[in-house]
Amino acid sequence: MAITGSGSLAISLSAFVILAAFLLKVEGQNLATDNVSVIEGETATISCRVKNNDDSVIQLLNPNRQTIYFKDVRPLKDSRFQLVNFSDNELRVSLSNVSLSDEGRYVCQLYTDPPQEAYADITVLVPPGNPIIESRDDVVSEGNETELTCTAMGSKPAASIRWMKGEEELTGETTVEEMYDRMFTVTSRVRFSVTKEDDGVPVDCIIDHPAVKDLLAQRHLEVLYKPEVKILVAYPDGLTREGDNLDLTCIAEGKPHPHQINWLRVDEDVPPHAVVTGSDLYIENLNKSYNGTYRCVASNAVGEAYDDYILYVYDAPTTIPTPTTNPVNTQDSRASEGAPQKIDHAVIGGVVAVVMFAILCALIVLGRYFARHKGTYFTHEAKGADDAADADTAIINAEGGHNNTDEKKEYYI
């Protein structure tokens, strides 16, 4: 039977419509899954998800293309695989006690025509063992260089190593060695010079790895250093004067502890009657011939160090200061010792002024007193005048009048 041109066109259009509908159907049924990272010995979960499923069958295959689950049925006889969820839109399976042999690409498959596939890569992480830290020197002297080595063995992927000395980060040299079954061993070395301040400071080897947190190894530095020396004046508290005693103490600290402490006088001999008792130097009855530099020298296995005291003997005080109950600055007292005592003219002038003022006040009071009693003074001649009726009578009656007065007589022998 012949097919006309119009018939062929109709068949072509029908085929195109069917193909377009199939492609739309396949595109509408999106299949998805996710990659999984799991630590060795733990459990991995694989999820095959379908969007807009039209009753198509979902199955899960292992890296060898063997069917693990067909819908909700497990053909593979590995009981570590367990069904977690099954529905039209998801097939979720767990794998317990994961080992390195389980690593690979797993396939989520949707039975359409043609079948759809999505891939989930399982990556197995293996944490490193406990790091091992070693030191080239158990004990190191200040100023010398030390070296520490830290090793992290049997990890997947390779670990990274960081160094910390106290709060200071150090830079190490790292080497990575690949072992069997894609396992790695990492070694890091760090070198640095030490000081006495590093004694007892912790050095940390810190391991960074996706399968483990807070993994580190620690070692404390032990540093030997020469002594630190300081001279303390036990007596006197102030200036050293002729006739005083001098008592010095030498403080020396080091690691190891100083085994020897010596006193000497720079460029001269120590006074013959000076007494050295251990770390103490005692000199009595000082005089200016003892002036000089006195040195305390301490030594240990690392080295020696010293501290100096410069002695200068001042003149003895020539005057005794006036005792006072008021506190006086010690330094000012020392500065005034030996100086001639000065008379305070201001004080004397003030006393004289007060005395003169008192005398002046007394004169004024006496003058006012005499002035007040001047008008009430009567003589004997005026006595009786107060009782007279007039002036003539008063004169006559006055005791000093001629009528009432006995005549005075003179006798010559």
Side-chain angles (χ1 to χ4, degrees):
M1 180 178 65
I3 300 177
T4 62
S6 59
S8 299
L9 180 60
I11 293 173
S12 299
L13 289 174
S14 299
F16 177 77
V17 170
I18 293 171
L19 179 60
F22 172 77
L23 292 175
L24 289 173
K25 177 180 178 181
V26 171
E27 184 178 355
Q29 297 181 179
N30 293 329
L31 181 63
T33 187
D34 301 304
N35 295 329
V36 179
S37 293
V38 59
I39 298 175
E40 184 181 30
E42 297 187 1
T43 299
T45 301
I46 303 172
S47 176
C48 301
R49 301 179 300 277
V50 181
K51 182 180 178 181
N52 302 324
N53 192 5
D54 62 347
D55 298 330
S56 297
V57 175
I58 307 173
Q59 69 171 352
L60 177 64
L61 309 178
N62 67 12
N64 296 324
R65 306 290 296 190
Q66 297 172 324
T67 301
I68 300 172
Y69 266 92
F70 181 83
K71 299 176 68 173
D72 58 350
V73 178
R74 176 169 55 83
L76 189 67
K77 299 187 181 302
D78 188 342
S79 60
R80 295 182 304 144
F81 290 98
Q82 293 294 322
L83 183 65
V84 178
N85 182 53
F86 174 74
S87 66
D88 291 339
N89 297 319
E90 182 184 35
L91 172 61
R92 192 189 313 164
V93 177
S94 65
L95 171 60
S96 61
N97 195 22
V98 175
S99 64
L100 285 173
S101 61
D102 297 320
E103 193 173 63
R105 172 165 289 187
Y106 290 75
V107 181
C108 292
Q109 193 173 73
L110 182 65
Y111 267 88
T112 57
D113 189 14
Q116 297 184 55
E117 292 185 350
Y119 306 102
D121 292 327
I122 289 184
T123 302
V124 179
L125 306 176
V126 181
N130 291 329
I132 301 172
I133 186 170
E134 297 176 327
S135 177
R136 183 182 64 188
D137 310 296
D138 293 334
V139 179
V140 59
S141 298
E142 64 173 333
N144 292 340
E145 185 180 78
T146 188
E147 177 181 295
L148 283 79
T149 302
C150 185
T151 303
M153 301 180 62
S155 66
K156 179 179 175 298
S160 60
I161 297 178
R162 295 183 292 118
W163 290 95
M164 295 292 295
K165 184 184 74 170
E167 300 297 326
E168 177 187 359
E169 185 168 1
L170 305 176
T171 301
E173 300 176 358
T174 302
T175 58
V176 179
E177 180 183 358
E178 185 172 0
M179 305 170 64
Y180 64 92
D181 207 4
R182 292 168 293 171
M183 303 285 283
F184 298 90
T185 293
V186 181
T187 302
S188 180
R189 291 180 176 84
V190 64
R191 299 180 183 88
F192 56 91
S193 297
V194 298
T195 64
K196 63 177 182 292
E197 288 78 14
D198 292 326
D199 184 45
V201 173
V203 178
D204 296 333
C205 166
I206 304 171
I207 307 300
D208 294 324
H209 192 273
V212 69
K213 294 181 179 179
D214 301 326
L215 186 62
L216 62 83
Q218 188 178 84
R219 189 179 186 91
H220 288 80
L221 296 173
E222 185 172 358
V223 180
L224 303 180
Y225 53 91
K226 64 184 181 181
E228 294 179 317
V229 184
K230 184 175 181 60
I231 296 177
L232 302 179
V233 181
Y235 185 85
D237 293 334
L239 298 177
T240 50
R241 298 187 178 278
E242 287 187 310
D244 287 347
N245 300 330
L246 177 65
D247 191 357
L248 303 178
T249 299
C250 183
I251 306 298
E253 297 292 339
K255 189 172 182 180
H257 190 75
H259 62 268
Q260 188 173 5
I261 296 178
N262 294 322
W263 282 96
L264 58 90
R265 186 179 179 189
V266 178
D267 299 329
E268 295 182 74
D269 294 332
V270 176
H273 66 280
V275 178
V276 177
T277 305
S279 60
D280 296 337
L281 173 65
Y282 180 78
I283 306 175
E284 64 179 6
N285 195 20
L286 294 175
N287 61 62
K288 293 188 177 183
S289 65
Y290 298 159
N291 288 346
T293 300
Y294 292 80
R295 175 172 296 174
C296 173
V297 182
S299 58
N300 62 8
V302 180
E304 70 175 28
Y306 64 87
D307 189 24
D308 288 338
Y309 172 79
I310 299 176
L311 174 63
Y312 183 83
V313 179
Y314 290 84
D315 293 333
T318 57
T319 59
I320 301 176
T322 303
T324 177
T325 58
N326 295 328
V328 185
N329 183 279
T330 305
Q331 183 175 356
D332 294 341
S333 298
R334 297 195 198 106
S336 63
E337 288 181 5
Q341 300 299 313
K342 296 182 179 179
I343 299 176
D344 196 337
H345 297 284
V347 174
I348 296 175
V351 172
V352 172
V354 171
V355 172
M356 295 300 295
F357 179 76
I359 294 173
L360 180 62
C361 291
L363 292 175
I364 293 174
V365 171
L366 290 174
R368 289 177 62 86
Y369 176 81
F370 286 120
R372 186 182 299 118
H373 291 79
K374 180 178 180 181
T376 60
Y377 178 78
F378 295 98
T379 64
H380 290 288
E381 289 80 1
K383 188 175 181 181
D386 290 339
D387 298 330
D390 51 31
D392 294 333
T393 304
I395 295 173
I396 295 172
N397 294 333
E399 186 177 358
H402 297 283
N403 293 334
N404 295 328
T405 304
D406 295 333
E407 184 179 355
K408 297 180 181 178
K409 298 180 179 182
E410 294 182 354
Y411 296 92
Y412 298 93
I413 299 174

